[in-house]
Amino acid sequence: MRPEILYSLFKPLTSLPGIGTRNAKLVARIVGGEHVVDLLWHLPSGLIDRSFQPEIKDAPAGRVATLSIKVDRHVPAPNRRLPYKVLCSDHTGTAELVFFHARPEWLEQVLPVGEERVVSGKVEHYRGVVQITHPDHIGPLEDRESLAGIEPVYPLTQGLSPKTLNRAMAAALDTLPDVAEWLDSAHLAREGWTPWRAALRAVHRPAGQHDIDALAAPRRRLAYDELLANQLAMALVRAHMRRQGGRVTASDGTARTRAEAALPFTLTAGQNQALSEILADMSSDRRMLRLLQGDVGSGKTVVAALAMLEAVGAGRQAAVMAPTEILARQHFAAITPVFEAAGAKVALLTGRNKGAPRRRLLEDLAAGRIDALVGTHALIQDDVAFADLALVVVDEQHRFGVAQRLQIAAKGRSTDVLVMTATPIPRTLTLMAYGDLDISRLTEKPAGRKPIDTRTLPLTRLDEVLDGVGRAIGSGPDGGRRVFWVCPLVAESEALDLAAAEERFGALERRFPGRVGLVHGRMKGPEKDAAMAGFAEGRTAILVATTVIEVGVDIPEATVMVIEHAERFGLAQLHQLRGRIGRGAEASTCLLLYGGGMTATARERLKILRETEDGFRIAEEDLRLRGAGEILGTRQSGLPAFRIADIAAHGDLMETARDDAALILEKDGGLTSARGEALRVLLYLFERDAAVAYARSG
Ligand code: ADP
Ligand code: MG
């Protein structure tokens, strides 16, 4: 239950002055939430200094000034295209206030003739006359003091005026609750941070440009609060899982060794290392919570399959949960031969399993006649029950949250959890997204892989590319190489993307009749499978795809990748796409085609791709080029979206927050001390309600 002290912060936006239902929608859109607290996390991106208060004759063009004037005369607009003017003066000269599409009644009310007023706005000189067009503020002289200061500027949306937002913000800031301090006092003193309420007010009431900086003390404090809430929440979940204890899962190794001997290759040193780390976790009585991080094609699946056989060899079961149907099928295909070599049985469960066959499968699973189950989130359905699930592998590409990981793990007793991710993200981001999991990394590519020859070409040379593709695929069926052709994200519209892909498919099909396939996100499962299978088996030589092929897809025979409008893709995405080739023993080529009007950053992205295939380096460069804000901001990245913290600026705070969270739980795992109570409030403040439930009671 949310503590009472936070009630005012979780009131709807409409509880603020000037925010009705219509405005509330606009505000919610820019601040990303519907409560007062969401508005408070919307920090100024700049400021306007209104402290300059010249006399009219000294008011320079182009500068924001606050003038004290007397209203002399109103000159209504002679027609609809000309402005309404209000003539004013002080003892040094005259000025005009200019309004287009004005409402005369309103102007007569706020600027009555003969009265003195204070107005603020950007000064212009028009034919020698001092003018302010649409002053930002008009008020009585006694407002001069409050008006002639520093005004925060917020990112806005169409239809929402700064005045409305500022007014609502001021009201929200006036009623901030006086929460108990959740930070350690020594830490606070060391950083020179003020209490939460003061920090939040300082951020919204900047005294100068330096206060807008992400490195300003009040901003750092708020960022730290957020990072601490994040780390503490994850640490609580982790402690909860650990507390449930693990159990020893260890086999005599027969099944695993037999399967390993049957592999058509030997494991790399990195794979052996990762496998032994996983086996050590499984055979200890601690519960495993491990992240297996490795670039696309680095051979994670086979490591996972062998770990699964360890569980099977011990008379227990394993499960693999993948984010998409395609990926689940691929895992199933990769794991099946490994399991067969060991005489173990693996089954596939997706949303497509229905009726009697599904029922039989679930019966076999519950009876232990199936050793491992691979599937999509269909695995977490209620009626899916295992005989004795010991190991869960979650391949997530950042699509599952902590909750789903827990749900699948809850299907067993003290289940060991291995999270696999193909997105090599920098360490700070790993910490943010996964907390302090144990990490195994696969950094080398399997032996025998040839480097990918990556080239960039302007789209104007498409004809040459087509000639090259024609030569590559040869003439007869399966006579040559296989080509992935990726079509870009055109806009936010899936329909447009699709149209582009279909058009390219049509053009390629005319040129290479019968040899082109198409897959896209709108296709039904079986249709998609058929297109993929046609390509995998060599019936088609070119597969046109939207970014659906980004995830998974293992076709070692594909050795050419063409990416249209590569400049529109992110670095990480291009890297993931490119990882679909270069998986076999043949040399591979990646052609990045770019359109006109490339930005400097886009050019740099393509350059980095030409230079390296090292996913961890690419991830670091991506962070550098984009700034963490952007990476974290993209929803589908699955990384937590932060409201205030910006990893590019506050990365150093991350590790401190992690250590802080660990120490807190060590000393006060139930969050029952005075600081513990305050920390509960912090967790609720950042809507980590679920985590509070995991604080050990008593
Ligand atoms: P990931 O899951 O990390 O994307 P996979 O496990 O799917 O990578 O491996 C990609 C391909 O490399 C598969 O075809 C797999 O059989 C092969 N592979 C895995 N490990 C090795 C190795 N040590 N040597 C050669 N090929 C390997
Ligand atoms: Mg264990």
Side-chain angles (χ1 to χ4, degrees):
M1 275 261 290
R2 184 180 294 139
E4 219 171 304
I5 191 155
L6 297 182
Y7 279 7
S8 62
L9 295 178
F10 285 89
K11 283 192 185 162
L13 287 167
T14 45
S15 67
L16 296 168
I19 308 291
T21 6
R22 194 190 73 92
N23 276 341
K25 281 210 189 84
L26 294 174
V27 175
R29 192 182 310 149
I30 44 163
V31 306
E34 290 160 2
H35 298 123
V36 172
V37 71
D38 299 307
L39 176 67
L40 289 164
W41 300 145
H42 191 59
L43 306 188
S45 55
L47 51 82
I48 299 175
D49 184 349
R50 302 194 184 279
S51 60
F52 180 51
Q53 301 174 62
E55 290 173 325
I56 287 175
K57 78 164 168 28
D58 300 326
R63 208 169 148 185
V64 172
T66 300
L67 306 179
S68 299
I69 47 91
K70 185 161 138 306
V71 180
D72 297 325
R73 191 154 66 86
H74 281 231
V75 184
N79 64 48
R80 291 175 71 206
R81 263 183 290 147
L82 290 173
Y84 188 111
K85 290 183 179 178
V86 179
L87 311 187
C88 316
S89 60
D90 66 7
H91 69 98
T92 67
T94 60
E96 293 176 358
L97 306 179
V98 179
F99 301 88
F100 289 89
H101 311 291
R103 282 195 297 126
E105 320 79 69
W106 177 74
L107 288 173
E108 276 156 22
Q109 189 195 325
V110 295
L111 291 164
V113 172
E115 299 283 314
E116 291 190 306
R117 285 290 181 267
V118 52
V119 297
S120 186
K122 188 157 166 204
V123 174
E124 292 151 326
H125 289 180
Y126 182 70
R127 294 184 182 155
V129 182
V130 171
Q131 287 189 336
I132 297 181
T133 304
H134 295 184
D136 303 321
H137 296 281
I138 302 171
L141 272 196
E142 56 266 31
D143 282 1
R144 185 181 176 115
E145 201 63 7
S146 64
L147 226 163
I150 308 276
E151 184 180 297
V153 174
Y154 295 95
L156 289 170
T157 185
Q158 185 86 45
L160 188 71
S161 79
K163 241 183 244 173
T164 306
L165 191 78
N166 286 349
R167 179 153 166 249
M169 191 69 84
L173 287 169
D174 280 344
T175 56
L176 289 183
D178 188 11
V179 293
E181 184 57 66
W182 47 70
L183 296 186
D184 175 58
S185 53
H187 184 203
L188 212 59
R190 204 165 53 241
E191 294 279 358
W193 289 342
T194 51
W196 176 76
R197 189 159 70 158
L200 194 54
R201 285 189 179 147
V203 163
H204 284 288
R205 292 168 182 163
Q209 196 58 45
H210 51 274
D211 286 337
I212 301 298
D213 197 292
L215 297 178
R219 284 210 183 209
R220 276 173 63 84
R221 163 163 192 157
L222 298 181
Y224 187 77
D225 288 343
E226 184 172 35
L227 294 172
L228 181 61
N230 167 258
Q231 287 299 300
L232 191 58
M234 283 193 291
L236 280 165
V237 172
R238 175 183 157 98
H240 167 78
M241 292 189 83
R242 287 260 197 252
R243 245 191 335 274
Q244 292 185 328
R247 51 179 175 152
V248 176
T249 298
S251 76
D252 62 4
T254 320
R256 188 167 40 78
T257 327
R258 212 186 301 154
E260 197 179 324
L263 289 175
F265 48 78
T266 52
L267 295 184
T268 63
Q271 284 171 316
N272 272 317
Q273 168 78 19
L275 183 60
S276 62
E277 285 164 356
I278 293 164
L279 296 181
D281 282 356
M282 288 173 69
S283 64
S284 92
D285 57 8
R286 273 179 23 143
R287 196 167 182 189
M288 172 165 78
L289 287 175
R290 185 172 284 279
L291 182 67
L292 178 58
Q293 213 180 11
D295 224 333
V296 209
S298 59
K300 296 180 296 296
T301 312
V302 63
V303 171
L306 294 172
M308 288 160 72
L309 280 177
E310 180 70 4
V312 173
R316 295 176 183 156
Q317 290 165 303
V320 183
M321 186 161 79
T324 64
E325 174 104 24
I326 290 188
L327 200 50
R329 283 175 187 277
Q330 205 131 73
H331 282 322
F332 179 66
I335 290 168
T336 302
V338 182
F339 264 54
E340 268 169 7
K345 185 158 169 43
V346 56
L348 176 72
L349 179 72
T350 71
R352 287 196 228 160
N353 298 68
K354 301 233 158 71
R358 177 172 188 277
R359 225 169 17 247
R360 265 197 305 282
L361 190 153
L362 293 184
E363 273 164 25
D364 287 346
L365 185 71
R369 288 189 291 272
I370 288 173
D371 299 305
L373 189 63
V374 179
T376 55
H377 53 263
L379 259 57
I380 55 184
Q381 287 163 338
D382 281 341
D383 59 347
V384 177
F386 291 80
D388 186 6
L389 178 63
L391 171 67
V392 161
V393 179
V394 183
D395 182 356
E396 64 168 26
Q397 315 274 355
H398 301 308
R399 287 188 205 187
F400 295 121
V402 177
Q404 277 158 316
R405 268 179 242 153
L406 288 179
Q407 271 176 297
I408 177 70
K411 299 235 175 234
R413 189 163 57 83
S414 303
T415 322
D416 285 323
V417 178
L418 180 68
V419 178
M420 293 202 296
T421 168
T423 316
I425 50 179
R427 170 146 181 83
T428 19
L429 295 188
T430 307
L431 213 54
M432 278 190 153
Y434 299 100
D436 209 1
L437 294 189
D438 296 314
I439 296 178
S440 297
R441 275 184 164 187
L442 296 180
T443 49
E444 53 186 334
K445 285 199 162 196
R449 296 277 172 81
K450 300 227 167 52
I452 298 170
D453 178 16
T454 300
R455 300 178 196 188
T456 50
L457 285 167
L459 264 166
T460 48
R461 289 171 60 186
L462 189 64
D463 281 342
E464 286 167 59
V465 173
L466 290 172
D467 292 343
V469 164
R471 280 192 301 275
I473 64 173
S475 47
D478 211 9
R481 305 167 70 181
R482 259 168 263 171
V483 181
F484 274 123
W485 191 295
V486 180
C487 292
L489 292 167
V490 176
E492 315 227 301
S493 146
E494 210 189 332
L496 286 181
D497 296 349
L498 203 56
E502 275 167 350
E503 195 179 313
R504 178 59 66 212
F505 168 73
L508 286 167
E509 176 64 32
R510 276 193 295 283
R511 181 149 174 170
F512 309 110
R515 308 204 59 198
V516 190
L518 172 69
V519 281
H520 57 70
R522 286 267 183 92
M523 273 179 167
K524 293 249 168 9
E527 235 186 317
K528 213 186 274 180
D529 291 350
M532 297 297 302
F535 185 60
E537 289 155 18
R539 275 178 279 123
T540 52
I542 303 173
L543 186 67
V544 178
T546 54
T547 42
V548 286
I549 62 156
E550 188 185 344
V551 187
V553 182
D554 191 11
I555 298 172
E557 295 81 6
T559 55
V560 180
M561 171 160 294
V562 180
I563 304 180
E564 262 188 74
H565 282 293
E567 80 281 3
R568 294 184 191 162
F569 291 92
L571 193 46
Q573 207 177 9
L574 287 170
H575 174 64
Q576 294 264 324
L577 286 168
R578 183 174 59 177
R580 300 296 136 218
I581 55 169
R583 303 194 122 204
E586 300 297 317
S588 293
T589 310
C590 177
L591 299 179
L592 304 171
L593 307 186
Y594 56 86
M598 241 200 315
T599 65
T601 317
R603 200 165 295 129
E604 197 168 348
R605 282 203 296 265
L606 300 190
K607 175 167 166 280
I608 292 163
L609 280 165
R610 272 202 316 266
E611 282 172 11
T612 185
E613 280 185 63
D614 173 351
F616 289 97
R617 183 183 154 210
I618 288 174
E620 298 288 350
E621 298 277 6
D622 199 21
L623 181 64
R624 180 178 63 79
L625 285 180
R626 292 207 277 171
E630 220 179 302
I631 294 182
L632 295 172
T634 44
R635 283 256 170 245
Q636 71 273 26
S637 74
L639 292 168
F642 285 84
R643 314 298 291 268
I644 303 160
D646 166 1
I647 280 316
H650 305 130
D652 62 313
L653 297 176
M654 192 71 228
E655 309 240 349
T656 317
R658 194 242 348 237
D659 296 345
D660 202 357
L663 201 63
I664 289 164
L665 291 195
E666 200 176 293
K667 289 203 288 203
D668 180 21
L671 300 182
T672 50
S673 66
R675 188 181 176 204
E677 290 291 338
L679 284 161
R680 284 170 183 254
V681 173
L682 172 71
L683 289 169
Y684 281 110
L685 182 64
F686 283 100
E687 298 176 70
R688 302 288 202 272
D689 301 25
V692 185
Y694 292 118
R696 189 177 27 184
S697 44

